[in-house]
Amino acid sequence: MSLEWWQSATIYQIYPRSFQDSNGDGIGDLEGIRSRLAYLKDLGVQAIWLSPFYKSPMRDFGYDVADYCEVDPIFGTLQDFDRLLADAHAMGLKVIVDLVPNHTSSDHPWFLESRESRQSPKRDWYVWRDPKSTRNPPNNWTSFFGGLAWTLDKKTGQYWLHQFLPEQPDLNFRNPQVVEAILDVMRFWLKRGVDGFRVDVLWLLVEDAAFRDEPPNPDWDGRWDRGSTLHIYMEDQPETHLIVRKMRQVLDQFSAPGKERIMVGEIYLPNKQLMRYYGTPEAPGCHLPFNFRPIFDGLSNWTADNLREIVEEYERDLPAWGWPNWVLGNHDQHRLATRIGPEQARVAAMMLFTLRGTPTWYYGDEIGMLDGVIPPEKIQDPDVLRQRHLPERGRDPERTPMLWDASSYAGFSAVEPWLPVNADYPERNVEFQEKDPQSMLNLVKTLLRLRQEPDLLSGAYQTFRSPSGVFAYRRGERFVVMLNFSHEHRSVSVSGELVLSTHLDRNRRMVQVVDLRPHEGVILRQ
Ligand code: GLC
C-alpha cells in the first residue's frame, strides 16, 4: 500500500510562544523555531504544525487574529516565515499552519467596520442579533470562556456572538463573502508553500439559523457555564460540512500526487459525528479530523481495557476511506506525563507510535515534560482568568517553555520567559536526555525510527487476548505490541525477536514468552 506523506508522517505541534526565543524578549519566535529544525529532523518527525503566529493583540495568545496574512512582530516577519518554510522543506519537513476561521480578533478591520453601524457593508460578516427583549440577550447560548456568548454593542443596540472571549467575535459562515474571504486566506498561505492547515474549532463554524435556545443539560454540575446546556444549535450544524467541502476543494486545487495539501480539523465530537468530517469518497472533507478520544476518555481512565475499547471503537467507526489518527496532547490539555505519570507516559508513546494512523505529538512530551506550576500572579490564560473558580481549566501549565539544556531559563531565552520555566529543568532537558541512553527522548527517537517499518505504517491492526492489565495487538504480518498498563509483572506467551522495550534495557533476542515488567511496553518482530 503506498501512502501519502501525511499518512506516514508524525506531526509535531509547536506552540511558537514557548519553543525557542531568538531575540531576547522572553517569547518564542519563528527564527527560534528555524534554529531548532535540526533537532526535529533528528527526533524523527516528518511534519510540524505551528499554532498561530499571525498579527494579534494576543488576548487568546494568537487565537484572536487581527490580520490573517501578516506575522505578528512578536514572532517575526513574513520573510522569517518564508525562510523557516524553505529550510524545513530543504530538510524534508512539511509545515502545517493554524487556520482560525470561526472568529477574528475584535481588532480585525472586518469587525471594526462591521460594528460601525447596522448598515455597514460588513455588518453581516459577523453574527449580530437584536436583544430578545429590553435588556435580554438574544438567547441562552454560552461561551467556552464563561458567561453568555453575547455582548451588547451599545452604539448599534445589537449583540454580537462570541463562543470564546468577547474580543473574539464569531464570523458569520452563512454569508458567502465570509466563506470566500477565508478561502482566500488559505490560498495566500498555500501560494507561499504551506503543506496544510490545522483548522481551529471546525465544528463550531455554523450556528442554527433560527437561534433557538439550547436545551438544558440534565447532568450539569453547576460549575462551567458552557456545560449548563446541550449544544445542538451552536455546534456541528449540517451546513458546516458544505464549508469543509469548499476548503477541501481549495486544498485539492493546490495538490499533486505525493504533494497533497491537507486539512487537519480540531473537532471535539463523539465518533459518529466526528467521522462525517471525512466526507465521502466522491466529496472528501478533512484528511484528518483529530481523534481526541485518547486524551479525554483515555487519559482520565488509563487502563488496558479502556484503551483497547477506545481503539477498537475507533477502528470500527472509521469509514473505509478514512485514515486514522491519534492525539495524546496539545496546548489546551494538561501534559501527558502529569496525567498518567512518567512511567506510563513511555507506554503511551509506544502505543501512539504503533497504532494504525497518523500520530500528533506535542512539543516537550518527548522529554516527559510535566505541567508547570504557575503562581496566581503569573497566570496568563484568559480562560481561567475569567473563570477563577475553575483552576483546572488553566492552560498555562502545558504551555511553559521548552527545556533545552541546564543553562539559565533552560536555553529557551536569555531573559525571563513569559511563563515560568519548569523547576525540574536542570535534569529534565533535551541535552541531558540525549546523553542518557534510557531517557524518554531516546525512547521516542527509537520509536519514530522503528515506525518507518511498512508493517507499522500501514499493516492491519488486530488485538489479541492478553492477561488483565495488558493491551496487546498485532500490526501487519510481523509486529506484535504488548503494553503493560499495570504496576505488576505479566507474562504473555508469544514468540519472536524482542526488538524494543520502553525501558530501553533489553538486548535484541529471540523469546518464547514475554515477561513484561511493571509499566513496560514491548515490541516483537516475528
Ligand atoms: C481552540 C484552540 C484554543 C483556543 C480556542 C479559541 O480550541 O485550540 O487554544 O483558545 O480554539 O480559538
Side-chain angles (χ1 to χ4, degrees):
M1 178 179 177
S2 90
L3 299 179
E4 263 291 336
W5 68 266
W6 52 272
Q7 297 176 304
S8 59
T10 292
I11 302 173
Y12 184 98
Q13 182 191 355
I14 293 178
Y15 194 67
R17 291 182 73 84
S18 299
F19 200 58
Q20 178 67 61
D21 176 19
S22 78
N23 63 350
D25 62 358
I27 301 174
D29 45 50
L30 296 178
E31 191 52 25
I33 297 170
R34 195 171 74 91
S35 72
R36 294 295 187 181
L37 288 175
Y39 165 76
L40 298 168
K41 184 73 191 167
D42 177 58
L43 182 62
V45 299
Q46 292 77 19
I48 55 176
W49 148 34
L50 307 173
S51 280
F53 49 81
Y54 314 111
K55 193 169 165 221
S56 162
M58 302 290 163
R59 295 193 185 94
D60 190 20
F61 298 107
Y63 282 97
D64 49 329
V65 180
D67 185 343
Y68 286 109
C69 300
E70 192 52 83
V71 173
D72 194 275
I74 286 183
F75 297 121
T77 63
L78 268 177
Q79 287 64 44
D80 290 337
F81 178 79
D82 290 342
R83 257 197 304 273
L84 167 59
L85 186 65
D87 280 16
H89 282 169
M91 295 169 97
L93 291 168
K94 302 283 185 183
V95 178
I96 297 168
V97 297
D98 222 297
L99 179 73
V100 191
N102 180 66
H103 43 269
T104 67
S105 158
S106 52
D107 293 5
H108 196 294
W110 297 343
F111 189 68
L112 297 178
E113 194 180 334
S114 182
R115 71 186 298 180
E116 267 300 301
S117 75
R118 291 193 186 205
Q119 286 72 42
S120 159
K122 292 244 167 20
R123 187 63 168 182
D124 190 46
W125 279 44
Y126 291 84
V127 185
W128 293 99
R129 295 291 288 172
D130 286 331
K132 195 181 210 161
S133 57
T134 328
R135 270 188 306 211
N136 269 326
N139 62 24
N140 69 351
W141 293 1
T142 46
S143 155
F144 280 85
F145 292 166
L148 281 184
W150 297 104
T151 293
L152 178 66
D153 179 50
K154 293 212 179 81
K155 184 168 159 198
T156 59
Q158 284 189 312
Y159 285 80
W160 76 83
L161 177 72
H162 53 86
Q163 302 218 38
F164 296 89
L165 294 175
E167 294 85 1
Q168 291 170 298
D170 267 50
L171 281 165
N172 175 14
F173 271 85
R174 293 185 181 274
N175 180 337
Q177 289 178 353
V178 168
V179 178
E180 205 40 52
I182 290 295
L183 298 181
D184 270 344
V185 172
M186 294 176 71
R187 293 183 187 106
F188 174 86
W189 290 102
L190 288 166
K191 282 183 196 147
R192 282 203 117 76
V194 304
D195 300 289
F197 300 93
R198 171 270 188 189
V199 188
D200 193 60
V201 296
L202 188 55
W203 85 114
L204 303 183
L205 293 189
V206 185
E207 295 82 32
D208 177 42
F211 294 89
R212 281 168 281 189
D213 270 338
E214 292 283 22
N217 173 7
D219 299 326
W220 188 42
D221 63 6
R223 285 168 49 82
W224 185 39
D225 293 340
R226 178 86 179 184
S228 62
T229 63
L230 305 177
H231 302 289
I232 56 174
Y233 298 130
M234 303 179 80
E235 300 188 359
D236 194 33
Q237 300 300 295
E239 294 86 348
T240 312
H241 294 283
L242 304 174
I243 317 280
V244 174
R245 180 74 198 117
K246 289 207 162 108
M247 290 177 164
R248 173 64 182 255
Q249 282 166 341
V250 169
L251 288 161
D252 286 349
Q253 281 158 12
F254 282 84
S255 294
K259 289 194 179 153
E260 286 188 3
R261 316 279 190 114
I262 65 155
M263 171 163 37
V264 185
E266 187 201 22
I267 303 158
Y268 286 95
L269 284 174
N271 278 359
K272 260 213 172 65
Q273 288 160 277
L274 177 71
M275 299 308 177
R276 289 194 205 120
Y277 285 78
Y278 279 105
T280 61
E282 300 73 38
C286 253
H287 297 78
L288 301 171
F290 265 146
N291 169 17
F292 291 128
R293 268 202 76 196
I295 292 190
F296 282 103
D297 307 334
L299 299 182
S300 57
N301 177 17
W302 190 251
T303 62
D305 283 348
N306 187 40
L307 266 294
R308 185 187 303 106
E309 193 176 311
I310 288 174
V311 174
E312 299 277 294
E313 278 178 12
Y314 182 78
E315 283 277 354
R316 197 174 57 229
D317 293 343
L318 193 74
W321 57 89
W323 182 255
N325 77 91
W326 303 95
V327 191
L328 280 173
N330 63 35
H331 64 296
D332 297 327
Q333 310 297 334
H334 292 305
R335 285 276 178 191
L336 174 66
T338 295
R339 294 193 63 177
I340 59 175
E343 289 168 312
Q344 282 297 319
R346 296 174 79 108
V347 174
M350 183 171 276
M351 183 188 81
L352 187 83
F353 294 128
T354 57
L355 284 174
R356 195 176 74 88
T358 303
T360 299
W361 191 254
Y362 186 50
Y363 86 92
D365 281 348
E366 69 275 23
I367 51 171
M369 268 179 79
L370 296 162
D371 273 359
V373 178
I374 316 292
E377 71 282 3
K378 294 254 165 84
I379 295 178
Q380 304 280 340
D381 181 8
D383 185 346
V384 70
L385 287 172
R386 288 168 57 91
Q387 311 187 75
R388 291 256 187 197
H389 64 294
L390 300 171
E392 70 278 7
R393 282 189 65 80
R395 299 171 296 176
D396 296 326
E398 61 266 23
R399 297 175 177 181
T400 57
M402 178 67 177
L403 309 173
W404 295 105
D405 56 42
S407 68
S408 61
Y409 305 120
F412 165 74
S413 174
V415 303
E416 190 183 343
W418 74 290
L419 281 174
V421 171
N422 291 4
D424 60 355
Y425 82 93
E427 291 191 355
R428 188 184 303 284
N429 64 61
V430 169
E431 197 179 77
F432 192 91
Q433 293 201 12
E434 264 166 359
K435 291 184 201 132
D436 170 3
Q438 285 164 20
S439 64
M440 173 87 175
L441 180 60
N442 277 313
L443 172 64
V444 169
K445 280 189 191 181
T446 311
L447 281 165
L448 283 169
R449 276 167 189 64
L450 188 59
R451 202 185 134 66
Q452 294 308 310
E453 289 276 348
D455 265 357
L456 289 177
L457 286 178
S458 58
Y461 156 90
Q462 179 76 56
T463 185
F464 62 91
R465 272 175 66 98
S466 53
S468 83
V470 175
F471 174 27
Y473 47 93
R474 288 179 192 286
R475 287 300 315 284
E477 302 288 312
R478 302 186 57 201
F479 282 92
V480 178
V481 182
M482 284 159 286
L483 307 169
N484 188 357
F485 283 64
S486 81
H487 53 269
E488 287 159 15
H489 282 265
R490 291 283 184 266
S491 84
V492 191
S493 301
V494 239
S495 57
E497 181 199 8
L498 196 156
V499 289
L500 185 63
S501 152
T502 48
H503 294 11
L504 295 173
D505 61 352
R506 299 209 202 199
N507 293 330
R508 289 188 169 225
R509 61 193 169 89
M510 297 305 292
V511 293
Q512 302 299 321
V513 175
V514 178
D515 173 38
L516 290 166
R517 289 165 289 172
H519 308 292
E520 185 180 29
V522 153
I523 302 177
L524 240 59
R525 192 186 345 235
Q526 293 183 317

